[in-house]
Amino acid sequence: MTHSQAAEGRMALAWDFPTRAFKWTLVALVASAWASNKFGAATPNWHKWSGYAILVLIVFRLLWGFAGGSTARFGNFIRGPRSVLNYGLAILRGQPVKYLGHNPLGALMVVALLVLLGAQSVLGLYAGDEDRIIIDGPLARTVSDATVAFAARWHHRLFDLLKIVIVLHVLANVVATFVKKEPLIQGMATGYKPAERYVDAAEARPGSIVAALACLAVSIALVFGGIIALGGKISF
Amino acid sequence: MMKKWLLAGAMILTAGAVMAAGDPIKERKEIFKGFAEAAKPNGAALKGEAPFDLAKAQAALKAYSDGSKKLVALFPDNSKTGGDTEALPKIWQEKSKFDGLVAKLDKDATAALAAIKDEATFKAEFPKVLGNCKTCHDDYRLKK
């Protein structure tokens, strides 16, 4: 067993299909949300539906963090500050230990991105331009003008922060993949990483597709049901 | 005596009018305020929060076309600051691009005025005109 794992070319499953599908769809939707703000001034629904879809995916990922494959489960990759510090120091010493799933710093990034994108989409639900003429979230009509202005202001500020976090995230993975030659990007694309001595697990146990579809259905129901329950109106 | 008072009154009124006319910041703010007011019922109609009203759509488009023609002259070099202006310095750094966007509002409003006949054409065409507001505000208006 140990021998065959060390054999050259053997690959180990790191990320199951739903986790990867979530990840790359989220990338596309964040790009769409940005582009719709930049180029979609005449089509407010483009931006709004990008936001709804992002919120659905964030809720999906929270559920998947408990019901998904082994490397997607929060309990398996979120670690305490001591582990994060030790991992950071190991990188600085040039001898980081390798993880099959998210390493402690990567875990921090996953949490940061989920929290920021979740907050950003919820703010969007309440945000709107002055007088709510050009674009407003479905819940902007349920709150005061001051709240709409507050949400809009933070929707803008949070995006500035998101841009920084996204650049860090991409940079870390590009450096790991192309400079350190640890194929993290290929792993997230294909699901497989070279079989090696990983400290967390030798191979991931994939989550079930049925469970993934159930999580997706629940997140769609929660997001749109929630918006409607709070008095919002979804326009197409 | 009466004539003198009338004359003085007339002079004050004229001075007031001249001052307002000579205040591009105040004038352009009035125009933008009018733009927003004209947009409100139409924005609500687009969202289904108010019934579609062809007359209100046409009035707004007419206001945008007329107003944008005046706006071109209302950003002179000496109006960069003061009067609570929300205009960003970027306007004067790329004045020809800015003027082009103002002209585009006029063009789009005129085109929409001709194209909008009913609720369906309103929902298709009016957002294109409103898009001009956002394009300009994103780059040239102070964020609050």
Side-chain angles (χ1 to χ4, degrees):
Chain A
M1 178 76 182
T2 318
H3 185 77
S4 71
Q5 269 176 7
E8 199 156 325
R10 190 185 175 280
M11 303 296 276
L13 180 72
W15 310 107
D16 60 16
F17 175 74
T19 306
R20 284 178 290 137
F22 155 80
K23 194 254 139 77
W24 295 112
T25 313
L26 186 60
V27 170
L29 286 171
V30 170
S32 163
W34 171 82
S36 59
N37 177 57
K38 192 96 181 146
F39 307 110
T43 48
N45 277 338
W46 176 12
H47 189 69
K48 289 165 76 168
W49 278 90
S50 301
Y52 298 153
I54 287 170
L55 192 52
V56 165
L57 280 189
I58 298 301
V59 176
F60 165 84
R61 187 62 185 85
L62 295 180
L63 300 172
W64 195 240
F66 298 98
S70 57
T71 45
R73 296 205 180 196
F74 298 131
N76 290 343
F77 72 81
I78 294 179
R79 291 173 184 88
R82 184 182 287 269
S83 304
V84 175
L85 191 70
N86 283 341
Y87 182 80
L89 289 174
I91 288 188
L92 291 179
R93 279 193 229 102
Q95 42 193 207
V97 283
K98 285 189 174 176
Y99 285 82
L100 175 74
H102 297 296
N103 64 52
L105 275 174
L108 216 58
M109 178 55 79
V110 171
V111 173
L113 284 168
L114 289 177
V115 168
L116 282 174
L117 286 173
Q120 181 69 341
S121 21
V122 170
L123 280 171
L125 297 177
Y126 291 94
D129 61 280
E130 212 178 319
D131 300 322
R132 304 197 296 109
I133 293 167
I134 304 162
I135 186 168
D136 61 348
L139 296 176
R141 61 207 282 269
T142 68
V143 294
S144 70
D145 286 354
T147 307
V148 174
F150 174 87
R153 197 157 55 235
W154 280 96
H155 197 59
H156 290 138
R157 286 181 187 162
L158 220 52
F159 185 65
D160 290 337
L161 182 59
L162 259 169
K163 278 188 279 196
I164 297 169
V165 175
I166 289 171
V167 166
L168 277 176
H169 170 61
V170 172
L171 220 65
N173 283 281
V174 164
V175 168
T177 301
F178 298 105
V179 181
K180 302 281 179 201
K181 307 285 181 200
E182 195 190 345
L184 298 188
I185 298 175
Q186 294 92 319
M188 193 49 91
T190 65
Y192 288 90
K193 286 166 80 172
E196 276 187 52
R197 275 182 190 283
Y198 293 112
V199 294
D200 49 345
E203 185 134 30
R205 181 182 47 73
S208 97
I209 298 293
V210 177
L213 289 175
C215 286
L216 186 62
V218 171
S219 18
I220 290 171
L222 277 175
V223 167
F224 292 101
I227 290 171
I228 291 164
L230 288 169
K233 232 174 69 181
I234 310 282
S235 58
F236 295 90
Chain B
M1 192 65 187
M2 190 69 180
K3 264 188 182 169
K4 247 185 193 169
W5 281 112
L6 277 175
L7 192 66
M11 278 169 76
I12 289 166
L13 282 176
T14 314
V18 167
M19 274 164 73
D23 184 349
I25 294 177
K26 199 172 167 190
E27 263 188 83
R28 71 194 184 214
K29 281 174 91 82
E30 284 301 319
I31 290 175
F32 286 125
K33 217 186 214 167
F35 280 6
E37 285 306 316
K40 275 181 194 172
N42 294 296
L46 282 174
K47 286 183 283 192
E49 290 175 4
F52 164 66
D53 185 333
L54 182 62
K56 281 180 181 158
Q58 288 172 333
L61 294 168
K62 191 97 184 20
Y64 298 157
S65 174
D66 293 347
S68 52
K69 286 186 181 75
K70 290 181 197 151
L71 278 176
V72 178
L74 291 177
F75 290 85
D77 283 340
N78 64 2
S79 70
K80 294 180 190 178
T81 53
D84 284 330
T85 184
E86 291 168 14
L88 291 176
K90 206 178 170 193
I91 291 174
W92 291 274
Q93 287 157 16
E94 40 188 58
K95 192 63 175 30
S96 58
K97 190 179 167 204
F98 177 79
D99 287 345
L101 286 171
V102 177
K104 184 175 170 291
L105 172 63
D106 183 12
K107 194 175 131 257
D108 288 358
T110 308
L113 193 59
I116 293 174
K117 308 273 181 232
D118 50 26
E119 189 162 3
T121 46
F122 167 72
K123 289 204 160 157
E125 301 300 324
F126 206 86
K128 294 182 194 165
V129 181
L130 286 184
N132 286 288
C133 309
K134 177 176 157 51
T135 307
C136 251
H137 289 172
D138 279 355
D139 284 347
Y140 302 113
R141 185 188 188 185
L142 185 71
K143 308 264 179 311
K144 280 191 264 178

